Amino acid sequence: MRICYVLAYRAPGYIRTRSLLAALNSLPNIECHTAINTCTGIGRYRDTLEQVKHIERQYKPDLYILGFRGHELYWPLRRLIGKRPLILDAMMSPSLALAQENQYGLAGRLLSRLITPIEKSILRDANFILTDTAAHVEAFGHRYQLNPTQLAALPVGAVETAPVAQSPGQSDRLRVLFYGSFLPLHGSNVIFQACHTLNDLPLDLDFIGTNAHVETQLQQAFKPGLPLRYRARRWVPFEDLLQHELPTADLCLGGPFGNTPQAQRVITGKTSQALAQAVPTVVGETAAMQGFIHQQNCLLVPQANPQALAMSLRWAFENRTKLSDIGQKGRQLYQEQLSLAVVAQGLGNILQKFQP
């Protein structure tokens, strides 16, 4: 089967793309071609479509997969490929996020009403829809009245070649890492409130992906001269994050902690990556998390509960010798439920439906 994976995204190296391409390339009897943007800005759409045209002329793929986030490119791609099967990796719903997450307030809710019919038309036209969790499958089906046989959940996966944690919990100070985009679902306020009650502990809080607003919050929450210290960085190259930042962390704040509707439907990418690298991970409890066991393969806390998060961080500091074992068992959980092998098996089962 000849497959073309298509993407025009501001972050073409996003972990979801890496995972799906690794899964595709591991499957037997699959010839995979890629049309992925090499430039940013509005030009990325033309860049990708020109690649699609070349692949279409030369190889005539049997099936196309439009990667996350591909809604803007969906109809131009459909016009190019005609009625051939098109799988959309929706992963999450833009209109649902705008309506429920309150990141942009009233403007976001109004925009959600405008784009909902567009998104619905895309989802109903696609031959199959991928997302990341069973909770998202249910949400898509309910909101857009989709046939459940046309959706499937594939885990986000991780970069599995990254080094594992070095020796979590072996130093006197505990390095706690959070990286990401500080969206409402992540619950940065919950993290700051929790850590504010831990000023007496020698913790090194490392925040990557901050902005001016977040940095102001940090300055207000933490004063210099305390045993607890923090560092804020706006950006770290992804490879540095995998090769150095995660392996040297004693704990990763995987979350989500925000208790938003979307936070109840996801297993965050940072959780999956940290588990894959055997980094002990603090996880916000959701219905999507089967097999996560508190103080065995993770530290599991209820969302929107800074007291519970603070208690888990204090427990981690007081039980540092247990962290390495928790990290190893977390890695085992990843391999069993979230790994690229799991992604490949699920993707293979879906592709069988479209065998020419």
Side-chain angles (χ1 to χ4, degrees):
M1 178 184 283
R2 293 183 299 276
I3 294 175
C4 181
Y5 183 91
V6 181
L7 183 70
Y9 189 43
R10 60 181 175 79
Y14 185 56
I15 185 61
R16 179 64 163 190
T17 294
R18 292 191 183 200
S19 296
L20 287 181
L21 286 177
L24 280 170
N25 287 314
S26 73
L27 293 173
N29 304 316
I30 295 293
E31 179 184 313
C32 183
H33 303 276
T34 59
I36 298 176
N37 57 296
T38 57
C39 63
T40 57
I42 195 71
R44 67 181 184 264
Y45 300 111
R46 180 176 179 179
D47 178 16
T48 296
L49 290 173
E50 288 299 322
Q51 294 180 55
V52 170
K53 290 175 183 177
H54 171 75
I55 293 169
E56 177 67 15
R57 286 193 300 267
Q58 190 155 353
Y59 301 105
K60 287 288 182 185
D62 302 299
L63 178 146
Y64 282 81
I65 298 176
L66 180 56
F68 175 80
R69 192 192 65 195
H71 296 81
E72 305 98 315
L73 202 65
Y74 185 87
W75 289 117
L77 177 62
R78 173 56 86 190
R79 292 189 190 96
L80 276 177
I81 69 173
K83 294 183 178 180
R84 263 169 296 168
L86 175 52
I87 296 176
L88 173 68
D89 182 24
M91 203 156 84
M92 51 80 66
S93 165
S95 67
L96 200 56
L98 287 167
Q100 296 182 344
E101 296 298 291
N102 202 36
Q103 185 180 5
Y104 301 107
L106 178 60
R109 292 190 291 275
L110 292 174
L111 181 58
S112 173
R113 292 184 182 182
L114 291 175
I115 69 172
T116 292
I118 300 171
E119 186 174 356
K120 185 175 183 178
S121 69
I122 289 171
L123 294 169
R124 290 195 163 190
D125 182 80
N127 298 93
F128 203 86
I129 300 158
L130 304 178
T131 185
D132 56 343
T133 65
H136 259 140
V137 168
E138 183 178 352
F140 273 104
H142 176 74
R143 182 173 176 85
Y144 301 107
Q145 295 84 50
L146 301 174
N147 186 334
T149 63
Q150 296 301 110
L151 296 104
L154 297 180
V156 173
V159 177
E160 296 182 353
T161 55
V164 298
Q166 295 178 2
S167 53
Q170 298 305 304
S171 60
D172 292 336
R173 298 186 63 85
L174 206 67
R175 179 170 176 259
V176 182
L177 174 66
F178 177 89
Y179 70 92
S181 50
F182 291 86
L183 294 172
L185 71 95
H186 296 306
S188 56
N189 287 338
V190 176
I191 297 172
F192 299 159
Q193 290 174 40
C195 294
H196 184 67
T197 67
L198 302 173
N199 283 328
D200 59 309
L201 295 184
L203 303 180
D204 290 321
L205 308 178
D206 205 342
F207 297 102
I208 298 174
T210 61
N211 53 44
H213 176 66
V214 170
E215 289 160 11
T216 299
Q217 289 180 298
L218 286 167
Q219 291 169 6
Q220 293 171 347
F222 307 111
K223 304 302 180 185
L226 297 170
L228 182 147
R229 305 170 190 159
Y230 79 88
R231 176 168 61 161
R233 287 179 282 174
R234 298 199 175 188
W235 183 75
V236 167
F238 189 58
E239 291 304 320
D240 288 353
L241 188 69
L242 299 181
Q243 298 295 323
H244 176 71
E245 303 295 343
L246 272 164
T248 58
D250 296 298
L251 277 178
C252 177
L253 297 178
F257 304 113
N259 202 33
T260 67
Q262 188 176 343
Q264 291 294 332
R265 296 191 289 263
V266 302
I267 297 173
T268 66
K270 65 179 69 63
T271 291
S272 187
Q273 187 64 54
L275 292 174
Q277 293 183 243
V279 181
T281 308
V282 188
V283 180
E285 192 171 5
T286 78
M289 292 174 176
Q290 304 298 318
F292 286 73
I293 303 174
H294 183 49
Q295 296 179 2
Q296 290 192 31
N297 52 26
C298 68
L299 297 182
L300 191 62
V301 301
Q303 293 195 47
N305 192 325
Q307 293 81 16
L309 178 55
M311 286 176 61
S312 279
L313 292 174
R314 190 174 290 276
W315 182 91
F317 178 79
E318 294 172 350
N319 295 270
R320 293 192 297 277
T321 58
K322 298 180 181 180
L323 294 182
S324 181
D325 185 57
I326 290 173
Q328 290 298 326
K329 289 178 179 175
R331 179 174 167 83
Q332 182 179 346
L333 173 68
Y334 168 83
Q335 292 169 340
E336 292 171 354
Q337 295 195 18
L338 306 170
S339 66
L340 297 184
V342 175
V343 176
Q345 181 178 2
L347 191 55
N349 292 338
I350 293 164
L351 294 178
Q352 284 182 359
K353 304 173 186 290
F354 298 98
Q355 286 289 347

